[in-house]
Amino acid sequence: MQKTQSREGFGSRIGAVLALAGSAVGLGNIWKFPYEAGTNGGAAFLFIYIGFIILLGLPVMLAEFIIGRRSQSNTFGAFKKLAPRTGWKNFGYLSILAATLILAFYSTVAGWTLEYVIEAIKNSFHGKSSTELSEHYNAFIEHPVKPVIYQIVFMCMTGLIILAGVKKGIEKYTKLMMPLLFVLIVAMCIRSTTLEGASKGIKFLFTPDFSVITGKTILSALGQAFFSLSVGMGTVLTYASYIGKKENLTNISFQVILADTLIAILAGIAIFPAVFAFGIAPDSGPGLVFLTLPNVFQHMPGGYFWGITFFILLSVAALTSSISLLEVIVAYLTEEKKMKRKTATIITTTGITALGILCTLSYGPLKDFTIWGKTTFENFDFISSKILLPLGGILISIFVGWKMLKKYVYDELSNDGKYKLPIFDTFIFIIRFIAPLCILAIFVNELT
Ligand code: PHE
């Protein structure tokens, strides 16, 4: 029973696309992208980010697709099958470590989102000035108990969906949410760009000043590109193992990347004009979305309902990403360690929640507990997004570029020659040379 369940595939093509898009679109687009752009110079960051999505994100995503679907296995099993008796299976450790660290800090912010749902329902933002909203936010994230409770609730929701299994759990929640989220963000963009003083925000987001670029900006843009697409640590690989042999992987990746990038840019358009209109600092950091959007809702007709719907959808978007992280570990434990899905889910959810609490408290009682000058939250974010994902990207590229037979790579991408692949040679060139060397150069430049 449990065996068939863990190898159950996506029910339909649209289901697979939506599940992958659900993984990609999340807090990374709406919470992380705006504040990373805000602290890293705005437009210049956006342009580099888009460049990385096309040049590195897309090829690495395709490479993960190839490994996952060909092996029909988790992040350990895949390499065991495709490169037996080599050290490659240790990629699985990187993948589990990254999933754990990301989910730990991700659930902190997802918890904040849940609390904003409740606050929106209680109409607590109503009539508050920008400064009052910011005080409200700070008081909440610093609280020693409240954000922890929201985080636990969020992790329980994630665990419950994973328990329901891939098809019932993952597909269902994404189908309705994605289109709705899109419509809502477009509406918010319209309101935000018509605020008085909005043009400064548009300029900030779209008129690049490349003189502000440093090694740090470039590494941040790379990390953000991978984080937002969910690539570099085996999430796409794991989901791809559930995709049917008939699906066209190149098409799916184009659709997912387009949806993900569009939503990030729209989130920027919804946020930056408001940031300037309401006098918020664009480099406010992780609080940026929470400080800005409640102001926007207050200036929208029917803002009460917009606010509630937005934070609900954002929570669901976070949920469809967090389940994809948990699934990486649960797939490993059920397939490699022969654990029951239920046991694996409970153990993983509990462990990550415990670590996650440390991240949440990084804004409150553990504020001064720092290692390398960073709080636990900041360290988990830094190590996963800026080290593990790019490193994973290098390994995945090398594996598909150099280790796998070129014929297998071609067969998998073209479904045994059924689809034409005009970009195949370019893809191989990027995956062999450009991706590993480029990522390495960015690393060396920044970390030395
Ligand atoms: N891509 C997700 C987001 O943008 C986060 C994520 C990263 C999910 C890595 C899975 C793996 O919110």
Side-chain angles (χ1 to χ4, degrees):
M1 173 68 194
Q2 123 228 8
K3 201 139 193 221
T4 47
Q5 204 178 23
S6 59
R7 275 284 118 234
E8 153 202 49
F10 288 124
S12 59
R13 191 192 124 72
I14 185 79
V17 175
L18 284 174
L20 276 153
S23 168
V25 175
L27 297 172
N29 308 60
I30 295 163
W31 159 74
K32 205 165 197 276
F33 170 75
Y35 95 74
E36 288 273 5
T39 36
N40 285 294
F45 179 88
L46 172 70
F47 285 92
I48 300 176
Y49 163 78
I50 294 179
F52 283 151
I53 294 257
I54 300 168
L55 185 72
L56 303 173
L58 174 65
V60 174
M61 181 180 274
L62 282 174
E64 275 198 49
F65 268 135
I66 292 167
I67 302 174
R69 192 175 62 172
R70 180 136 199 112
S71 65
Q72 302 277 301
S73 195
N74 61 80
T75 52
F76 268 87
F79 292 95
K80 273 206 306 206
K81 272 194 195 161
L82 301 179
R85 289 177 300 283
T86 63
W88 279 101
K89 60 175 180 302
N90 294 321
F91 179 84
Y93 291 117
L94 179 146
S95 120
I96 286 175
L97 179 64
T100 305
L101 296 181
I102 295 178
L103 194 47
F105 78 83
Y106 204 83
S107 55
T108 296
V109 184
W112 298 350
T113 315
L114 287 184
E115 131 65 53
Y116 269 63
V117 172
I118 306 292
E119 295 298 319
I121 295 174
K122 292 200 304 208
N123 208 7
S124 333
F125 308 129
H126 187 72
K128 287 210 169 95
S129 69
S130 196
T131 324
E132 285 166 332
L133 285 170
S134 138
E135 282 163 7
H136 177 111
Y137 167 79
N138 287 325
F140 167 66
I141 61 164
E142 284 169 14
H143 198 279
V145 185
K146 258 168 110 187
V148 173
I149 293 175
Y150 282 108
Q151 175 173 43
I152 295 174
V153 171
F154 179 80
M155 284 303 292
C156 289
M157 286 158 62
T158 306
L160 283 176
I161 299 179
I162 282 297
L163 266 185
V166 177
K167 199 150 106 193
K168 278 183 264 131
I170 301 173
E171 277 190 41
K172 207 170 91 188
Y173 291 87
T174 328
K175 273 191 186 153
L176 186 73
M177 190 274 305
M178 298 283 297
L180 252 177
L181 183 67
F182 183 80
V183 172
L184 207 76
I185 296 186
V186 171
M188 285 157 55
C189 287
I190 297 174
R191 175 64 273 211
S192 192
T193 46
T194 48
L195 286 167
E196 204 174 314
S199 58
K200 267 198 194 139
I202 295 294
K203 189 162 172 273
F204 180 78
L205 190 61
F206 292 112
T207 315
D209 169 8
F210 287 105
S211 67
V212 297
I213 294 299
T214 60
K216 181 178 154 284
T217 321
I218 296 177
L219 181 62
S220 300
L222 176 71
Q224 177 59 24
F226 279 19
F227 184 87
S228 189
L229 295 178
S230 307
V231 303
M233 45 73 64
T235 294
V236 173
L237 189 163
T238 306
Y239 269 22
S241 74
Y242 305 125
I243 295 180
K245 289 285 181 196
K246 288 204 285 297
E247 309 303 348
N248 183 342
L249 297 181
T250 325
N251 264 352
I252 296 185
S253 63
F254 280 138
Q255 290 177 35
V256 171
I257 288 183
L258 200 70
D260 189 68
T261 312
L262 195 64
I263 298 222
I265 296 175
L266 287 175
I269 300 177
I271 287 168
F272 285 109
V275 162
F276 286 90
F278 295 110
I280 297 163
D283 59 356
S284 303
L288 191 66
V289 184
F290 298 98
L291 301 177
T292 312
L293 292 182
N295 285 305
V296 179
F297 298 131
Q298 291 199 50
H299 289 78
M300 278 170 105
Y304 174 70
F305 296 99
W306 288 106
I308 297 176
T309 323
F310 173 78
F311 285 112
I312 292 180
L313 287 178
L314 187 56
S315 311
V316 181
L319 205 52
T320 55
S321 300
S322 63
I323 53 182
S324 74
L325 288 158
L326 195 59
E327 178 65 20
V328 169
I329 311 177
V330 170
Y332 159 72
L333 291 175
T334 49
E335 291 176 15
E336 300 299 311
K337 300 287 167 208
K338 305 288 174 242
M339 236 182 234
K340 284 213 184 73
R341 197 165 172 93
K342 195 169 169 190
T343 322
T345 310
I346 293 173
I347 292 180
T348 321
T349 311
T350 315
I352 295 182
T353 308
L355 276 176
I357 291 176
L358 296 179
C359 295
T360 304
L361 296 181
S362 295
Y363 287 94
L366 296 182
K367 208 186 260 165
D368 297 321
F369 174 73
T370 54
I371 299 176
W372 306 305
K374 288 187 167 70
T375 62
T376 311
F377 183 103
E378 289 162 348
N379 269 319
F380 280 20
D381 180 10
F382 183 84
I383 296 169
S384 55
S385 317
K386 298 195 180 136
I387 299 181
L388 296 177
L389 296 186
L391 186 66
I394 297 185
L395 294 175
I396 290 164
S397 316
I398 294 180
F399 187 81
V400 172
W402 297 98
K403 182 80 193 160
M404 267 178 93
L405 271 186
K406 204 167 153 188
K407 177 178 166 0
Y408 290 165
V409 176
Y410 186 83
D411 285 352
E412 207 51 57
L413 271 193
S414 68
N415 290 10
D416 298 321
K418 200 164 135 221
Y419 299 115
K420 287 214 170 56
L421 287 180
I423 53 156
F424 187 68
D425 288 331
T426 321
F427 168 69
I428 291 290
F429 181 72
I430 294 182
I431 215 83
R432 280 197 171 165
F433 302 103
I434 309 277
L437 291 176
C438 194
I439 301 174
L440 194 69
I442 296 169
F443 257 145
V444 173
N445 177 34
E446 174 52 20
L447 300 179
T448 52

